[in-house]
Amino acid sequence: MAETIAGPAGAPHAEGRRSLARPVPLLRGYTVLLGAAWRSLRAHRANLVLIFLGSAALQGTQLAFIGVLLGAFGAIAGWDVSEVAFLYGLRLTAHGVCTVNFGQHRASAIVVREGDWDRFLLRPVPPLLQLLTRIFNPGTLGDLVLGLAILVAAAPHTPITWTPLAVLYVAAAVVGGGLVEAGLQIGISGLDFVLGPTTRVKDTVDRVLTDFGAFPMTIFGSAGTWLLTAVLPLAFVAYLPATVLLGRTEELLVPPWIAQLSPLAGPLLLVLGIAVFIRLSRHYTSPGH
């Protein structure tokens, strides 16, 4: 049951709606909604496996392309096979962290256009949380599993000294990188409430992160490196933490301490992206009015 405050001509305003139900704790709401989305997939298990394999195969094509480059030239910007593989695994694992947990940001335009946001506003769970748990895409697990496999396979062949601190830093870098991507995409999703569908913008950002994130930034020159660090913070996803672990901070255009603290950029950008999304969602107009 919900109470609404009518605007002009009796049309309910999104910001005027107040749920009379007891608010559900965020973690509880997330686990319940995600569990329901996952159970709905189990009705078609063969399709689940095919989607999983298809996602892994799609990412594998880029890995094969990088392998061809390394086979032809032996190194990319001075990075050898094991180092490039480690960078690729770090980036893909971070991408998996983002898509597994936040991948439903892609549905924001559909939710706004079809009026599903109205139903989200009437429930005792934050609307953004409902959007992110709307369904579960099993293909995202393919990204995560393949990324972890590459990371684990490449790690022993790198010059990294594997101490508990180094392992902890990798874990922080993976999570932080995933949150960088999530923060960007969630913030862009908020524009759906004021500018209309932004799916193509999000696809472009995703393509840049995917295509450019697998390579050392130095191949893009000084201007490109600054662009992918300060404007579109791709470098924070995997490149900066990789240079710290591989002892390559001398090639950076930013101070080494920024690279060392790069995993912290993820939580900051996620909070900023969510704040932008919530702010812009106040401009929501129900398609039924």
Side-chain angles (χ1 to χ4, degrees), residues 32-33 43 55 62 74 78 81 88 95 98 103 112 126 137 151-152 180 182 188 198 209 214 237 250 258 278:
V32 169
L33 292 173
S55 176
Q62 187 185 33
V81 175
Y88 184 86
H95 177 67
C98 172
V112 172
N137 178 7
L151 197 58
V152 171
V180 166
I188 294 172
T198 58
L209 295 177
V237 175
E250 73 281 351
I258 292 181
I278 293 174

Side-chain angles (χ1 to χ4, degrees), residues 52 93 96 140-150:
F52 178 90
T93 306
T140 59
L141 291 174
D143 296 337
L144 183 61
V145 171
L146 181 60
L148 284 171
I150 295 170

Side-chain angles (χ1 to χ4, degrees), residues 1-2 9 12 36 38 74 88 100-101 108 113 124 150 152 164 166 180 186 217 228-229 234 240 266 278 281:
M1 178 178 180
W38 176 254
Y88 184 86
V100 166
N101 295 284
S108 57
R113 184 178 69 246
I150 295 170
V152 171
V180 166
I186 290 173
M217 296 286 103
L228 295 173
T229 301
L234 169 60
L240 291 181
I278 293 174
S281 70

Side-chain angles (χ1 to χ4, degrees), residues 85-267:
F86 180 79
L87 174 63
Y88 184 86
L90 198 63
R91 195 236 23 117
L92 184 55
T93 306
H95 177 67
V97 168
C98 172
T99 55
V100 166
N101 295 284
F102 305 97
Q104 282 304 303
H105 67 78
R106 294 184 55 82
S108 57
I110 297 174
V111 166
V112 172
R113 184 178 69 246
E114 297 185 357
D116 290 341
W117 196 254
D118 286 327
R119 292 190 288 112
F120 290 175
L121 289 168
L122 297 176
R123 296 170 179 166
V125 178
L128 176 58
L129 186 61
Q130 296 180 64
L131 170 66
L132 297 177
T133 54
R134 177 174 170 267
I135 61 172
F136 183 80
N137 178 7
T140 59
L141 291 174
D143 296 337
L144 183 61
V145 171
L146 181 60
L148 284 171
I150 295 170
L151 197 58
V152 171
H157 304 286
T158 63
I160 301 172
T161 301
W162 288 107
T163 63
L165 183 60
V167 174
L168 183 62
Y169 189 82
V170 169
V174 164
V175 174
L179 297 185
V180 166
E181 183 175 348
L184 285 173
Q185 296 287 26
I186 290 173
I188 294 172
S189 297
L191 295 174
D192 290 328
F193 295 99
V194 294
L195 300 179
T198 58
T199 305
R200 291 191 176 184
V201 176
K202 289 190 283 189
D203 285 344
T204 299
V205 171
D206 180 71
R207 180 54 56 190
V208 171
L209 295 177
T210 299
D211 291 347
F212 294 173
F215 299 97
M217 296 286 103
T218 50
I219 70 172
F220 304 117
S222 297
T225 300
W226 275 115
L227 179 65
L228 295 173
T229 301
V231 179
L232 182 66
L234 169 60
F236 290 88
V237 175
Y239 175 65
L240 291 181
T243 60
V244 173
L245 290 161
L246 295 170
R248 288 184 163 274
T249 55
E250 73 281 351
E251 69 183 48
L252 297 176
L253 298 180
V254 297
W257 65 267
I258 292 181
Q260 293 165 358
L261 297 177
S262 58
L264 298 179

